[in-house]
């Protein structure tokens, strides 16, 4: 299980999540930050600091945001 960054990140890219992630598993992909689902330890620290509420646990993603999870999986494959 992992947290997922959705499209809303692309408008902001505040990168506050990078400062708090203890697993160093958030990287910039083309237009937004993405979380490596293989390294995320599910701590939730990134979720609370995101100013645009662009980070969700994968179990709580809305249907229209599921593609963001696939983006992360494919990016770190
Ligand atoms: Fe990093 Fe924790 Fe967020 Fe996973 S949940 S990306 S480990 S801060």
């Amino acid at each position: 299980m992992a947290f997922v960054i959705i499209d809303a990140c692309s408008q902001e890219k505040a990168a506050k999540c990078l400062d708090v992630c203890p697993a160093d598993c958030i990287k910039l992909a083309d237009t937004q930050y993405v979380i490596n689902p293989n390294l995320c330890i599910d701590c939730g620290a990134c979720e609370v600091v995101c100013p645009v509420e662009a980070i969700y646990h994968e179990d709580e993603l809305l249907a229209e945001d599921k593609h963001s999870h696939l983006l992360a999986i494919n990016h770190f494959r």
Side-chain angles (χ1 to χ4, degrees):
M1 292 295 176
F3 277 73
V4 175
I5 301 176
I6 66 170
D7 299 347
C9 174
S10 62
Q11 278 107 54
E12 185 74 19
K13 292 200 283 289
K16 293 186 182 300
C17 53
L18 297 185
D19 295 336
V20 300
C21 179
D24 191 26
C25 62
I26 305 173
K27 305 292 177 200
L28 185 62
D30 295 335
T31 58
Q32 67 166 80
Y33 285 93
V34 291
I35 294 170
N36 186 334
N38 305 311
L39 299 178
C40 175
I41 59 170
D42 235 8
C43 71
C46 55
E47 181 184 26
V48 295
V49 299
C50 178
V52 292
E53 298 183 9
I55 305 178
Y56 295 85
H57 192 270
E58 64 176 274
D59 285 346
E60 296 172 350
L61 283 175
L62 297 176
E64 61 261 35
D65 294 323
K66 299 266 187 199
H67 66 279
S68 295
H69 192 207
L70 290 176
L71 170 76
I73 290 171
N74 289 333
H75 186 76
F76 291 104
R77 197 185 333 228

